Amino acid sequence: TNHNLLTRDGGSAKTAMAVRGITYDDFVRRQSRAVDQSLLWDRAGTPRGKVMGYPWGQGQYRVRFPLNLDPDLPDGAGVFLNEWIFEPSYASAKQQGCTMDGMYLDSYGAVAGLLNLRKEHFAVADIPLTFDQRSRRPALVNDFSAFEWLTWLTDRMHKRKQLLLTNYYSKTMFFNLIHWDAIGSEGYRREDMRSRTLCYRKPFGDLAYNQKPKAITRFWWREYLLYATFPGQELREREAFREVGALVKREMAAGWEPVTYARCASPGIHIERYGRVADGNLHLAVQNTTDAPIACVLALDPDLGLTDREVAWDLLNDRSCQVARASKGTAIRLRLLPGETTLLMVATPTDLA
């Protein structure tokens, strides 16, 4: 439990006291009850807990207790979070004349992959149980319990036209992404093909974190364009951030397409497609991953639906590219410097204007 929840001046407790008209002791009792009702049990029938140190803990160690957030659990942590943390925060913001566009969930999936053998929790589960291989006893997959809470939470949020941003861990079970409106992860994720594949057309970006890259090369920022990853770090470099951020938003508006219908015979050239010819917003992100300059030819398949009217424009270098047409498709000639990533728009002059 976050330390701020257990102090009189802590943000969550203070807000709940003001909005709900409860005392500090009442808040702590409700929280303690929710934790006790929601603890996961191991094979021995004792609460699952782990002593951990955190980078931000300044040498302190804490015991982390994973909880079952199933909203059907009476007096459970899932309902407590909504009724005594989230809802008072919404109400407090409204009282101050603010509108909350949504919520940010930090560290989702940090305790993924745990089984819960607490029998009294079985009755409220909507997703079928599994079993513990060692004891051969029935058990809940706690990720499924959390998914039930997430389904319940986002349904309430979306009815309010609110969005959910989540910081996910690499071991998160990815079926959760169906409910996340925007996805982020700490660290530099500018070449994260897996996340783009899983997120499909949802916004994805790296989140601000106290981490520095080994070196920021000339084209370092442009690498975010390949998988339309929104840059969330190094915001001191405002000019590069604005340039790349604007183009990522342009890619996201066009929509990522998993099938590129584009090939290149030159080794080390990566291509991703955004948009469609029919919508007048076809974009190609092209990256040279080698240490040498390359004069390459992009072969575009006829299935893209190109006509004889489209031209190709390099949006980063502000220049046109040579386009040649043949019965087997369209070819675009492009020169890339070592490590360079650029974004092409292929459209009619009218759509380019």
Side-chain angles (χ1 to χ4, degrees):
T1 301
N2 190 296
H3 177 262
N4 285 338
L5 300 184
L6 296 178
T7 62
R8 293 182 186 274
D9 296 326
S12 298
K14 191 174 183 179
T15 300
M17 291 162 60
V19 172
R20 300 295 198 201
I22 61 174
T23 65
Y24 171 73
D25 289 341
D26 189 28
F27 179 86
V28 173
R29 278 194 297 269
R30 291 175 184 271
Q31 179 181 239
S32 301
R33 169 69 175 170
V35 170
D36 183 61
Q37 287 291 94
S38 306
L39 288 166
L40 311 187
W41 285 5
D42 58 19
R43 298 184 189 95
T46 58
R48 285 186 174 272
K50 185 176 182 180
V51 178
M52 299 187 67
Y54 296 89
W56 55 87
Q58 298 179 341
Q60 299 178 354
Y61 286 83
R62 303 175 184 179
V63 180
R64 182 172 67 184
F65 292 102
L67 302 176
N68 180 353
L69 297 181
D70 192 322
D72 296 325
L73 196 61
D75 298 326
V79 173
F80 174 85
L81 284 172
N82 187 70
E83 298 302 322
W84 298 99
I85 305 296
F86 302 156
E87 291 296 336
S89 297
Y90 294 146
S92 177
K94 186 175 182 179
Q95 291 173 1
Q96 299 176 58
C98 302
T99 300
M100 295 182 69
D101 295 325
M103 182 191 305
Y104 168 66
L105 290 181
D106 194 15
S107 304
Y108 197 96
V111 288
L114 296 180
L115 293 182
N116 178 12
L117 282 76
R118 190 169 179 176
K119 289 185 178 180
E120 63 194 85
H121 289 183
F122 295 176
V124 300
D126 298 323
I127 300 176
L129 279 64
T130 184
F131 65 93
D132 174 43
Q133 289 184 331
R134 185 178 299 179
S135 65
R136 299 185 180 183
R137 291 158 52 194
L140 281 169
V141 178
N142 197 49
D143 298 83
F144 291 168
S145 301
F147 182 76
E148 291 186 33
W149 173 75
L150 190 64
T151 304
W152 174 81
L153 175 67
T154 52
D155 180 65
R156 297 167 70 96
M157 293 180 63
H158 291 162
K159 287 178 179 177
R160 294 176 169 179
K161 309 299 183 185
Q162 293 177 326
L163 302 175
L164 179 66
L165 167 63
T166 307
N167 171 22
Y168 83 92
Y169 276 49
S170 59
K171 59 184 179 181
T172 303
M173 292 190 178
F174 290 106
F175 50 75
N176 292 285
L177 272 73
I178 192 174
H179 291 309
W180 301 345
D181 301 297
I183 301 95
S185 188
E186 294 172 347
Y188 292 98
R189 310 301 291 267
R190 63 194 188 283
E191 296 181 317
D192 197 337
M193 178 176 61
R194 182 183 67 169
S195 292
R196 172 48 60 214
T197 302
L198 292 166
C199 295
Y200 190 38
R201 294 176 180 170
K202 292 184 178 183
F204 172 76
D206 54 270
L207 303 174
Y209 189 62
N210 188 23
Q211 178 183 2
K212 303 297 180 183
K214 293 180 179 179
I216 297 181
T217 60
R218 178 182 178 185
F219 298 120
W220 189 85
W221 277 97
R222 294 190 183 186
E223 294 177 15
Y224 282 90
L225 293 171
L226 187 62
Y227 297 113
T229 305
F230 197 82
Q233 304 206 51
E234 291 293 327
L235 298 187
R236 291 169 296 180
E237 299 185 26
R238 298 300 298 174
E239 183 177 349
F241 172 78
R242 289 191 183 100
E243 178 186 47
V244 173
L247 291 176
V248 168
K249 290 169 69 175
R250 185 169 183 154
E251 291 175 318
M252 292 306 304
W256 178 68
E257 295 287 348
V259 180
T260 64
Y261 292 114
R263 300 177 301 278
C264 182
S266 302
I269 296 295
H270 293 178
I271 306 171
E272 291 294 330
R273 175 165 71 98
Y274 299 86
R276 294 148 296 282
V277 173
D279 296 333
N281 61 2
L282 175 62
H283 292 75
L284 297 173
V286 188
Q287 183 178 92
N288 175 11
T289 64
T290 74
D291 296 327
I294 293 179
C296 59
V297 177
L298 308 183
L300 308 187
D301 195 282
D303 287 342
L304 273 175
L306 290 167
T307 69
D308 59 357
R309 296 180 296 134
E310 285 83 13
V311 297
W313 192 264
D314 186 332
L315 296 172
L316 276 157
N317 296 306
D318 197 23
R319 65 190 180 191
S320 62
C321 302
Q322 182 181 348
V323 178
R325 291 174 174 83
S327 59
K328 295 183 178 180
T330 302
I332 299 176
R333 296 187 179 277
L334 178 67
R335 296 186 64 88
L336 292 173
L337 296 174
E340 182 178 5
T341 305
T342 195
L343 184 65
L344 306 182
M345 184 173 182
V346 183
T348 64
T350 301
D351 289 330
L352 275 170

